[in-house]
Amino acid sequence: ADVPTDTLTVTLFVEEQSPDPGQLATRVNARLDEALAKARTQPKVEARSGNYQTNPVYDRANQITGWRTRADIVLEGRDFKTVGALAGALQPALKLGSMTFSLSRMVRDAAEAALLTEALERFQDKARAIAKGLGFPGYVLGQIVVRSEGPAHAPVAFRGVAMAAMAEGVASTPVPVEGGKSAVTVYVSGSVVLGPGR
């Protein structure tokens, strides 16, 4: 089943470089704190820290000449417009790293439950048809295997205004978002023993 995605996750990042790792950490942390404080004012969006990585910068002689830090902030919510507006408001202080759409656990579980009911009915219909076609009055269930799958996140490309704002490094308007759908699949397989049935 193709189920409309209901959760948007946006990752924004700050990246700076400095010869002094202490000053670098202070600057990056200040920008992160400011962005998180601004994000927390929006109750419909969950804001949290993401990856934080500091790497040495080398010259041609393979000597360390400085340090580069990249730190992420993750915004997540079910109100796409609100998440997109907040992501836009945090630019250009932060840069847009990625956007992914996904199904919340509640929506995925509901879709899987509906599909499981349908799949089990089809399994039984097929077992009855096989028993009847081979001249048996019924069947007994031997074993059954049930599994489900589907992409947890559907990545999207940046487009339109968001790309232009990133390229120019100017204050961004709300990031345009459109969730689309995510496939949820339930498989039922197994064996039956043909005979008098139950």
Side-chain angles (χ1 to χ4, degrees), residues 124-149:
Q124 290 177 311
D125 289 345
K126 186 174 285 188
R128 281 191 287 268
I130 291 172
K132 183 178 180 181
L134 294 174
F136 288 90
Y139 70 93
V140 176
L141 186 64
Q143 65 175 359
I144 191 166
V145 176
V146 177
R147 65 183 176 90
S148 61
E149 65 180 38

Side-chain angles (χ1 to χ4, degrees), residues 2 53 113 139 197:
D2 289 325
Q53 189 171 11
Y139 70 93

Side-chain angles (χ1 to χ4, degrees), residues 2-195:
D2 289 325
V3 182
T5 56
D6 70 329
T7 302
L8 171 60
T9 304
V10 176
T11 301
L12 299 108
F13 68 94
V14 56
E15 188 170 46
E16 290 202 24
Q17 184 172 323
S18 171
D20 185 325
Q23 291 179 1
L24 177 62
T26 299
R27 290 205 313 266
V28 169
N29 292 345
R31 290 176 65 182
L32 287 178
D33 287 341
E34 182 180 349
L36 284 169
K38 190 171 184 179
R40 288 190 194 104
T41 64
Q42 180 48 258
K44 293 183 178 180
V45 181
E46 177 191 336
R48 63 182 183 270
S49 299
N51 293 330
Y52 192 114
Q53 189 171 11
T54 300
N55 295 310
V57 177
Y58 297 94
D59 61 14
R60 291 184 178 180
N62 208 30
Q63 299 296 312
I64 295 177
T65 59
W67 300 87
R68 180 181 295 116
T69 294
R70 174 177 165 143
D72 296 347
I73 287 180
V74 181
L75 308 177
E76 189 168 274
R78 298 179 69 179
D79 185 331
F80 293 175
K81 288 185 178 179
T82 302
V83 176
L86 180 57
L90 292 176
Q91 298 177 72
L94 276 67
K95 296 178 181 177
L96 194 55
S98 67
M99 282 196 312
T100 56
F101 292 94
S102 61
L103 296 176
S104 63
R105 179 170 295 267
M106 178 179 68
V107 170
R108 178 177 292 281
D109 287 349
E112 287 181 355
L115 287 174
L116 178 59
T117 299
E118 181 183 347
L120 290 172
E121 288 175 356
R122 289 187 183 183
F123 183 91
Q124 290 177 311
D125 289 345
K126 186 174 285 188
R128 281 191 287 268
I130 291 172
K132 183 178 180 181
L134 294 174
F136 288 90
Y139 70 93
V140 176
L141 186 64
Q143 65 175 359
I144 191 166
V145 176
V146 177
R147 65 183 176 90
S148 61
E149 65 180 38
H153 296 278
V156 299
F158 307 124
R159 48 196 165 83
V161 177
M163 283 297 286
M166 289 172 63
E168 297 170 12
V170 298
S172 176
T173 57
V175 176
V177 292
E178 180 62 44
K181 296 183 178 181
S182 183
V184 176
T185 307
V186 172
Y187 296 92
V188 174
S189 61
S191 64
V192 295
V193 179
L194 303 179

